[in-house]
Amino acid sequence: MKRMHDYIIVGSGASGSVLAHYLTQAGADVLMLEAGKRFTAATFPQNEMDANAQLMWNGGMDMSRDAATLFIRGKVLGGGTIINQCLLDRFDDVALDDWRTAAGIDFFRNRDMERHYDAVESNLSLHYMEKADWNRNAELYVEGFEKLGLEWAPLRRGQSDCGKGNDCIVCLGGCPRKSKQSMLETFLPKAEKNGLKILSEFEVAEVVHGQQFVTLQGRHQGHPHSLYGRQVILAAGALGTTQLLLKAGVQKRLPALGRNFHCHPQWMTVGFFDEPVDSHKGAFQSVKSTDPRFRDWGFKLENVFAGPIAMSLLKPGYGFEHQRFMQRYRNMACIEVAVRDQAAGTLALSNKGRLVIDKPLSDGDRQRANRGNQIVHDIFSTLGAREIMTSPIQIALHLMGGCSIGTRASDSVVNEQFQVHGLPRLRIADSSIFPNAPGINPSLSIMALSHRAAETLLAEAGIAPSTSTTRKQEQQA
Ligand SMILES: Cc1cc2nc3c(=O)[nH]c(=O)nc-3n(C[C@H](O)[C@H](O)[C@H](O)COP(=O)(O)OP(=O)(O)OC[C@H]3O[C@@H](n4cnc5c(N)ncnc54)[C@H](O)[C@@H]3O)c2cc1C
């Protein structure tokens, strides 16, 4: 006898964990499969090298076909939310209007999305990065912005109590303080309390959609395994979900599969100062640009920094010149430009079934990047930097699209019920459904869409969503 699950969720990141929470809260039988390992605040890797190797796909070294862009994505229980900065923004009208136009879906407007944002935010502790949270890198950013008459604002972060330590440098390798609002600290424990079963180190290799159920084949801790679900939710992220559907061989009936891939390519510019900046101490990111011209021009600026391994990758070459670069680690200030990329890339399979990411930079996106990088140069020059270097490496952290949402199978993959066109037992609400790049941090919106998807699934099953006990209600009690 096959053990049949009501819902199987593939992937435990921003989408999978939110879905698991709302489905289990309503009493559904849910199994979650995650390719990565399970860590806790106490067991996260102790250094940057181990964090890259143990928490990221391919050690954080996924490259585009032309080797120009580096893609980083989490492979760990909690997905990207374990290794991300947890900057949580709602989409503005610009992003939602563009989505409504591109996808033809009416709920992409603030008055419809608001209640989904409210619902997921009520499970999160949110904090605006106040002056007391800033390190010298953030102070320099603000000084530069104000000298040039540019508008800025504090970033909003998911964190509960980071305390006053200077150990934020480990945050992107998993938060040991249980402060960063990753899925491990927010939605997953609640879902497990409500009966969610999790198999970590389970990599799904194949999805077979049948009349009565979906079969998932994969390897659990290296051993072949098959599982069966009445409904399967692919929440493996833009790359993982698209790869699974491409492997399912449905591209002929879904010609848009693998298209519309976006990634907010970003560039880091380092300004070297005579006095120590110590950007590695305290919060890596605290402030962002809010200048309305930047939104029109298609980029945003944030202060940023990284551990020594990541910073060393920014400088091409080796030998004494590279050594001289790294010797000045304490003197580096850094600002990133993230572009709202207009030109879509494609995701496809090689003959060997490996994912091939094609994301060349269009002239327009290059111009957006150049304009942003020029402003960063102006900021560092105004502040008196001794030397300024924009790294040629394009980094992509926000991976979006490949299974975009829309109304027709001819130009989209998922419909407004989050159902794959023509495959009624397969659902997707993760970053792969983005119809284009919003130009805004995506994970809060992925959570909000996943809340909507859970409501849709429960309504179809005739189950009323349970009234949730939110963090706010818990605090009030
Ligand atoms: C360094 C970094 C910083 C970032 N900072 C921010 C930020 O500050 N704010 C923000 O909004 N966004 C940020 N992001 C992006 C954000 O983390 C992602 O957009 C978000 O996590 C995507 O959610 P998701 O559910 O679509 O996929 P993910 O969170 O990537 O989850 C997908 C999960 O599926 C698993 N999986 C994949 N394939 C399979 C398979 N075949 N079988 C089983 N499991 C599988 C993966 O291992 C992964 O755990 C950052 C990302 C990075 C890398």
Side-chain angles (χ1 to χ4, degrees):
M1 264 284 279
K2 288 187 172 80
R3 163 84 166 90
M4 187 68 62
H5 296 273
D6 289 346
Y7 303 98
I8 302 182
I9 301 175
V10 182
S12 62
S15 175
S17 296
V18 169
L19 271 147
H21 168 56
Y22 288 108
L23 292 175
T24 52
Q25 193 181 45
D29 154 48
V30 187
L31 173 69
M32 173 179 272
L33 307 176
E34 167 55 53
K37 288 187 183 157
R38 182 180 199 129
F39 288 87
T40 67
T43 64
F44 280 127
Q46 295 289 307
N47 61 65
E48 196 183 356
M49 178 83 97
D50 287 345
N52 292 357
Q54 295 183 45
L55 308 180
M56 298 174 194
W57 285 87
N58 302 313
M61 296 298 277
D62 275 328
M63 298 299 288
S64 56
R65 195 161 66 100
D66 61 6
T69 306
L70 179 68
F71 301 92
I72 302 177
R73 57 175 173 140
K75 182 184 184 183
V76 54
L77 187 68
T81 72
I82 300 295
I83 61 163
N84 75 9
Q85 280 284 2
C86 212
L87 304 170
L88 298 174
D89 298 313
R90 294 185 180 202
F91 283 3
D92 60 9
D93 287 336
V94 174
L96 288 171
D97 289 350
D98 283 357
W99 275 27
R100 206 168 57 253
T101 308
I105 287 181
D106 209 42
F107 65 72
F108 290 136
R109 57 178 83 236
N110 252 312
R111 68 159 193 259
D112 291 304
M113 288 300 293
E114 200 175 8
R115 71 188 177 83
H116 302 299
Y117 284 123
D118 287 347
V120 292
E121 282 180 1
S122 70
N123 291 277
L124 298 163
S125 171
L126 297 166
H127 174 79
Y128 283 95
M129 300 300 282
E130 297 153 5
K131 223 169 175 175
D133 303 309
W134 298 357
N135 61 11
R136 182 73 188 128
N137 192 29
E139 286 170 5
L140 284 169
Y141 178 105
V142 172
E143 276 170 41
F145 261 60
E146 293 191 342
K147 278 191 173 157
L148 294 183
L150 304 168
E151 290 178 35
W152 63 274
L155 281 161
R156 188 173 73 153
R157 248 197 124 218
Q159 61 179 59
S160 59
D161 181 12
C162 289
K164 281 272 165 257
N166 259 331
D167 55 358
C168 310
I169 193 164
V170 297
C171 181
L172 299 182
C175 170
R177 291 172 175 256
K178 296 172 84 60
S179 174
K180 187 167 73 173
Q181 299 289 281
S182 73
M183 294 298 119
L184 214 51
E185 301 301 333
T186 53
F187 290 92
L188 276 178
K190 293 180 186 179
E192 281 195 285
K193 218 168 152 193
N194 286 323
L196 173 70
K197 297 274 175 301
I198 300 176
L199 292 181
S200 52
E201 297 175 70
F202 191 119
E203 185 166 343
V204 175
E206 213 180 320
V207 180
V208 183
H209 189 279
Q211 291 288 325
Q212 308 296 327
F213 55 87
V214 178
T215 306
L216 296 176
Q217 282 159 1
R219 295 183 87 79
H220 184 218
Q221 296 175 338
H223 303 291
H225 215 83
S226 297
L227 291 161
Y228 310 92
R230 290 184 187 87
Q231 289 278 330
V232 164
I233 303 158
L234 299 180
L239 302 190
T241 292
T242 307
Q243 183 172 25
L244 284 172
L245 270 190
L246 286 166
K247 281 186 175 172
V250 294
Q251 206 171 11
K252 269 208 176 114
R253 62 155 73 167
L254 294 170
L257 181 60
R259 304 229 178 112
N260 272 353
F261 174 68
H262 293 266
C263 66
H264 292 160
Q266 65 184 58
W267 286 260
M268 286 164 79
T269 296
V270 177
F272 294 91
F273 288 83
D274 288 340
E275 76 278 12
V277 183
D278 283 340
S279 302
H280 62 291
K281 293 191 176 164
F284 276 178
Q285 296 204 260
S286 307
V287 274
K288 64 175 179 181
S289 55
T290 46
D291 204 291
R293 288 169 296 178
F294 292 5
R295 189 78 175 121
D296 291 343
W297 294 337
F299 58 80
K300 62 176 178 146
L301 268 51
E302 286 168 7
N303 78 308
V304 72
F305 208 64
I309 293 177
M311 292 306 288
S312 74
L313 291 174
L314 298 181
K315 169 87 179 158
Y318 47 85
F320 284 131
E321 208 188 322
H322 196 273
Q323 192 182 32
R324 204 177 73 84
F325 175 80
M326 288 309 292
Q327 271 169 342
R328 291 178 294 163
Y329 185 73
R330 290 192 62 200
N331 299 69
M332 295 176 184
C334 189
I335 297 177
E336 75 180 35
V337 171
V339 166
R340 184 181 185 205
D341 45 329
Q342 300 294 313
T346 55
L347 304 175
L349 291 183
S350 71
N351 293 341
K352 292 187 175 159
R354 285 179 70 90
L355 195 68
V356 180
I357 310 171
D358 237 321
K359 187 70 175 77
L361 209 61
S362 69
D363 290 346
D365 288 335
R366 168 74 62 197
Q367 278 161 15
R368 279 178 264 280
N370 289 345
R371 192 170 202 170
N373 284 327
Q374 184 56 53
I375 292 171
V376 180
H377 274 247
D378 294 346
I379 290 170
F380 283 142
S381 300
T382 308
L383 293 168
R386 178 165 291 275
E387 192 184 322
I388 304 168
M389 182 205 84
T390 295
S391 173
I393 307 266
Q394 293 159 214
I395 302 166
L397 309 176
H398 300 167
L399 315 182
M400 307 164 287
C403 302
S404 37
I405 193 166
T407 54
R408 296 176 302 259
S410 56
D411 59 5
S412 64
V413 175
V414 173
N415 68 20
E416 63 184 309
Q417 278 78 43
F418 304 92
Q419 192 176 54
V420 177
H421 294 299
L423 299 174
R425 295 181 180 279
L426 269 188
R427 307 292 176 129
I428 309 175
D430 67 8
S431 47
S432 70
I433 70 170
F434 281 30
N436 56 42
I440 295 175
N441 284 308
S443 56
L444 188 70
S445 299
I446 297 167
M447 294 181 217
L449 288 169
S450 300
H451 174 260
R452 189 178 175 96
E455 273 190 355
T456 308
L457 282 164
L458 291 172
E460 284 174 12
I463 304 169
S466 162
T467 44
S468 62
T469 308
T470 65
R471 183 179 288 270
K472 270 186 202 145
Q473 288 164 338
E474 280 164 10
Q475 282 164 354
Q476 281 161 6

